[in-house]
Amino acid sequence: MENHHETTSKQMESLNEGDESLEYSLRPQSLREFIGQEKVKEQLRIHIEAAKQRQEALEHILLVGPPGLGKTTLAKIISNEMSSGFKQGIGAVIERIDLASMLTNLEPGDVLFIDEIHRIKGHVQESLYPTMEDYTLDLPIGQGPSAEIVQVPLSRFTLVGATTREGLLAGPFRDRFGIRLHLEYYTPNEIQIVIRTNSEKMNVQIDEEAEKEMSRRSRGTMRIANKLLANIRDYATVKGDSIISLEIAAEALEFYGIDELGLDDWDRLYFRTLIEKFKGRAGLKALAIALTEDERTVSEVYEPYYIKLGFLTLTPTGRVATDVAHGHLGYEVPQDFQRTFF
Ligand code: ADP
């Protein structure tokens, strides 16, 4: 970490990538421990209670929202609350054969969680349709034209899908989820509660003002709050007396290059590129190439927060940096900007 300016929160993430046990231990295990998302929790409580009373599996559930808001955590909580088993797969890498083996191994009521479900391959998705409706699996026996389709009955299970991009799901697939829930960015108050709870779990002493400052800079995202806490704890251990005071937190945030809106060097590079290279308006492809970043990461991980901040709008002619973004980054707003923008 010799170069201060290169230490972005992106790098902070990688610093803690091996820290899965920490992430695991901080994960709320029940709806009661899960902070915020009140509407989502209320709906889940009702569906869980009803399914329990009827002694049935829950309907299939689609969880929608940007990364780090708690979709995986909620999927696990659903299985905890239902006292059922939990199996997990990642959309992009699931093949029909993996799916068949996962499905045939499910016990009644089990939760099958598929992350990034919008990335599931078309033919795998289609093979899920009868499964989601009738709890049967069409298995081809043999090969070529003489192959026979055998219908294998499955246990009644609950498919929980998580997606950052609901719009990329085929209509018939989306419609097969009886319950669709949208997660929102958290308020600073909600994040502060989690920072406090987690610093207790981690045995870290933290001042209230430091909690507040860190909550404001966590981009409304619990995963970022947890990573900030872990990194600032390290900073406090090495540079201070292990206590996270407001002074130490502010120093550490400055050190990691995180500004008052939670933006880091990478975010600033995004807007500098958009404004300087593309005069404030660019197509996703061109922008991603200029940033040497994957298009999907740009649009699914970074941009939703810029839109929420009012820094970015998506128009038919490209992404546009708003006057608020120009102002925050110290650029003058182009005179004809409003006109070109709307
Ligand atoms: P997603 O699947 O949406 O990317 P995760 O479920 O992996 O997000 O959540 C990221 C981290 O944030 C988890 O380790 C979890 O501890 C924490 N987290 C998420 N939502 C909450 C919440 N509402 N309350 C407390 N911690 C949360």
Side-chain angles (χ1 to χ4, degrees):
M1 238 182 287
E2 300 102 36
N3 188 342
H4 178 152
H5 297 290
E6 282 182 3
T7 314
T8 66
S9 66
K10 230 178 156 198
Q11 285 165 302
M12 283 171 46
E13 286 201 22
S14 63
L15 287 178
N16 276 304
E17 247 161 32
D19 225 351
E20 276 178 20
S21 58
L22 178 68
E23 173 141 341
Y24 184 79
S25 65
L26 298 182
R27 236 173 209 170
Q29 302 294 324
S30 63
L31 279 179
R32 198 178 44 78
E33 286 174 61
F34 191 89
I35 304 298
Q37 313 290 351
E38 298 303 329
K39 266 206 244 151
V40 167
K41 283 191 299 192
E42 196 46 38
Q43 290 192 53
L44 278 176
R45 276 198 194 96
I46 290 171
H47 293 298
I48 289 172
E49 187 53 40
K52 276 184 173 170
Q53 283 190 20
R54 289 197 300 262
Q55 299 189 323
E56 280 175 3
L58 266 176
E59 280 183 86
H60 305 303
I61 302 176
L62 185 64
L63 299 170
V64 183
L69 295 197
K71 298 183 293 298
T72 309
T73 308
L74 269 181
K76 188 74 191 45
I77 287 177
I78 291 168
S79 98
N80 290 349
E81 299 276 352
M82 290 296 293
S83 313
S84 66
F86 184 80
K87 306 242 161 50
Q88 181 168 2
I90 296 178
V93 297
I94 294 182
E95 292 296 342
R96 261 180 95 153
I97 182 113
D98 310 321
L99 188 66
S101 106
M102 275 197 270
L103 289 168
T104 46
N105 281 308
L106 292 173
E107 304 282 333
D110 275 2
V111 167
L112 172 62
F113 173 61
I114 302 186
D115 202 4
E116 301 185 0
I117 200 155
H118 59 280
R119 294 186 62 197
I120 206 164
K121 295 183 181 91
H123 65 282
V124 181
Q125 191 180 114
E126 277 161 31
S127 73
L128 263 172
Y129 292 175
T131 304
M132 289 173 79
E133 269 177 2
D134 319 326
Y135 303 95
T136 58
L137 179 67
D138 292 342
L139 267 188
I141 305 286
Q143 282 189 340
S146 63
E148 262 183 67
I149 302 286
V150 178
Q151 274 202 342
V152 182
L154 301 170
S155 304
R156 287 194 161 252
F157 69 101
T158 300
L159 178 64
V160 179
T163 182
T164 48
R165 301 280 302 274
E166 188 181 13
L168 294 185
L169 258 65
F173 189 36
R174 199 174 48 221
D175 293 343
R176 281 173 169 80
F177 290 92
I179 305 169
R180 294 201 290 270
L181 303 168
H182 291 85
L183 276 69
E184 305 289 338
Y185 284 108
Y186 293 89
T187 64
N189 283 346
E190 290 164 345
I191 295 193
Q192 193 189 343
I193 296 170
V194 173
I195 290 184
R196 177 169 305 169
T197 312
N198 289 349
S199 47
E200 276 167 20
K201 285 187 189 165
M202 289 158 70
N203 250 327
V204 179
Q205 203 179 321
I206 180 167
D207 292 350
E208 192 177 339
E209 288 309 312
E211 288 170 6
K212 287 203 169 115
E213 195 56 39
M214 287 157 65
S215 325
R216 279 195 290 268
R217 299 198 198 193
S218 294
R219 309 164 80 115
T221 307
M222 289 302 180
R223 178 177 293 130
I224 294 182
N226 282 345
K227 292 205 188 286
L228 266 186
L229 178 60
N231 285 290
I232 295 180
R233 173 186 66 165
D234 286 354
Y235 188 92
T237 306
V238 175
K239 302 275 188 182
D241 52 6
S242 296
I243 298 170
I244 305 182
S245 60
L246 176 60
E247 199 188 344
I248 279 286
E251 219 180 282
L253 287 160
E254 164 85 24
F255 174 77
Y256 291 123
I258 296 167
D259 76 12
E260 64 275 18
L261 293 177
L263 301 180
D264 63 23
D265 289 346
W266 195 91
D267 304 310
R268 286 186 285 275
L269 175 68
Y270 174 99
F271 283 102
R272 274 210 314 274
T273 309
L274 181 55
I275 292 170
E276 290 179 13
K277 276 204 176 145
F278 296 97
K279 300 200 173 70
R281 179 191 300 266
L284 173 61
K285 197 170 190 162
L287 190 57
I289 292 172
L291 291 164
T292 58
E293 185 54 276
D294 172 47
E295 279 178 48
R296 194 178 301 118
T297 310
V298 172
S299 67
E300 293 177 22
V301 177
Y302 293 102
E303 291 183 339
Y305 186 65
Y306 305 157
I307 295 167
K308 139 122 175 112
L309 275 182
F311 273 37
L312 189 74
T313 50
L314 305 183
T315 73
T317 52
R319 13 284 280 158
V320 176
T322 64
D323 49 357
V324 192
H326 281 81
H328 182 76
L329 284 126
Y331 291 98
E332 269 184 38
V333 182
Q335 294 236 308
D336 60 347
F337 188 69
Q338 293 297 344
R339 264 180 288 125
T340 55
F341 173 21
F342 291 110

